[in-house]
């Protein structure tokens, strides 16, 4: 592990790697952690941690480029990889939105809400307002299950049905709602839930 951190931390790479893995448990969890959390966990290595966060941002930008200009489809493996990288490793539930034009062409994506390990509190009004402000005509929702079980809960299914009904009346299309884990993605559209 130390060799992976060497470009960022030089001779202190071994100590940095050991402390990060001890605190976060895995390299994936280290890369999913926000910079302030990394700096709080391993004081004295702020420059190296900023460089690691910068490298992570570069990778995320490269993934963003892969989606730009594409048609958003809940069954697309590229989209699945992208969302697993964005929210699949988080230890709390996060809701993510991919905004699209009328032809389901990618406009942008963004985190929308976060919650606890088993629940997200997200309000509908800000979601609709954001979509209208962007001029979006469609969107895809994705949220993660930190438990690793990508099957939607009864509450997930009910909330998705409510969202679809509401946004449909406002001429916004809910393309899909994906449940994301570290290794898998569940499509509510493919499962017949939408």
């Amino acid at each position: 592990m130390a060799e992976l951190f060497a470009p960022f931390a030089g001779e202190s790479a071994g100590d940095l790697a050991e402390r990060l893995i001890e605190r976060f448990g895995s390299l994936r969890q280290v890369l999913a952690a926000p910079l302030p959390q990394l700096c709080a966990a391993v004081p004295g290595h702020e420059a190296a941690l900023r460089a690691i966060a910068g490298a992570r941002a570069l990778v995320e930008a490269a993934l963003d480029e892969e989606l730009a200009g594409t048609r958003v489809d809940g069954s697309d493996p590229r989209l699945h990889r992208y969302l697993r990288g964005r929210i699949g490793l988080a230890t709390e539930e996060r809701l993510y939105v991919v905004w699209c034009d009328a032809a389901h062409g990618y406009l942008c994506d963004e985190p929308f809400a976060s919650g606890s390990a088993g629940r997200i509190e997200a309000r509908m009004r800000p979601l609709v307002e954001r979509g209208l402000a962007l001029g979006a005509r469609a969107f895809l929702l994705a949220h993660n299950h930190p438990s690793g079980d990508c099957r939607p809960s009864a509450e997930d299914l009910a909330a998705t049905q409510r969202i679809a009904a509401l946004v449909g009346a406002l001429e916004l299309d809910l393309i899909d709602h994906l449940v994301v884990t570290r290794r898998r993605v569940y499509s509510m559209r493919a499962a017949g839930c939408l």
Side-chain angles (χ1 to χ4, degrees), residues 28-102:
R28 285 186 174 270
Q29 291 298 102
V30 169
L31 293 176
L35 180 58
Q37 190 177 9
L38 292 173
C39 291
V42 189
H45 293 279
E46 287 79 5
L49 294 168
R50 279 193 302 278
I52 290 167
R56 178 179 60 202
L58 284 171
V59 170
E60 289 173 354
L63 289 171
D64 286 349
E65 282 182 342
E66 191 173 339
L67 288 182
T70 64
R71 185 172 193 283
V72 174
D73 179 348
S75 64
D76 185 343
R78 292 174 302 174
L79 180 61
H80 293 186
R81 265 193 317 276
Y82 178 77
L83 291 169
R84 284 195 318 266
R86 288 287 191 190
I87 61 175
L89 298 173
T91 56
E92 72 284 340
E93 283 201 16
R94 295 181 183 171
L95 180 64
Y96 210 79
V97 184
V98 180
W99 297 105
C100 305
D101 61 22

Side-chain angles (χ1 to χ4, degrees), residues 87 92-96 112-123 142-146 153 155-156 159 162 177-178:
I87 61 175
E92 72 284 340
E93 283 201 16
R94 295 181 183 171
L95 180 64
Y96 210 79
F112 185 73
S114 61
S116 65
R119 184 171 175 78
I120 298 173
E121 293 291 333
R123 295 183 44 232
H143 80 278
N144 65 314
H145 279 182
S153 67
E155 186 176 318
D156 292 339
R162 283 192 309 273
H177 186 166
L178 304 177

Side-chain angles (χ1 to χ4, degrees), residues 96-184:
Y96 210 79
V97 184
V98 180
W99 297 105
C100 305
D101 61 22
H104 296 185
Y106 174 88
L107 293 175
C108 67
D109 62 88
E110 58 195 4
F112 185 73
S114 61
S116 65
R119 184 171 175 78
I120 298 173
E121 293 291 333
R123 295 183 44 232
M124 289 296 304
R125 183 181 180 119
L127 178 72
V128 171
E129 287 175 346
R130 180 66 175 145
L132 295 174
L134 288 169
R137 295 295 306 271
F139 64 100
L140 179 140
L141 290 175
H143 80 278
N144 65 314
H145 279 182
S147 67
D149 181 357
C150 69
R151 292 174 295 178
S153 67
E155 186 176 318
D156 292 339
L157 294 170
T160 301
Q161 293 298 322
R162 283 192 309 273
I163 292 167
L166 175 67
V167 301
L170 297 171
E171 299 177 0
L172 282 169
D173 182 26
L174 176 57
I175 297 168
D176 205 340
H177 186 166
L178 304 177
V179 181
V180 179
T181 66
R182 177 180 172 186
R183 299 192 189 280
R184 298 190 61 215

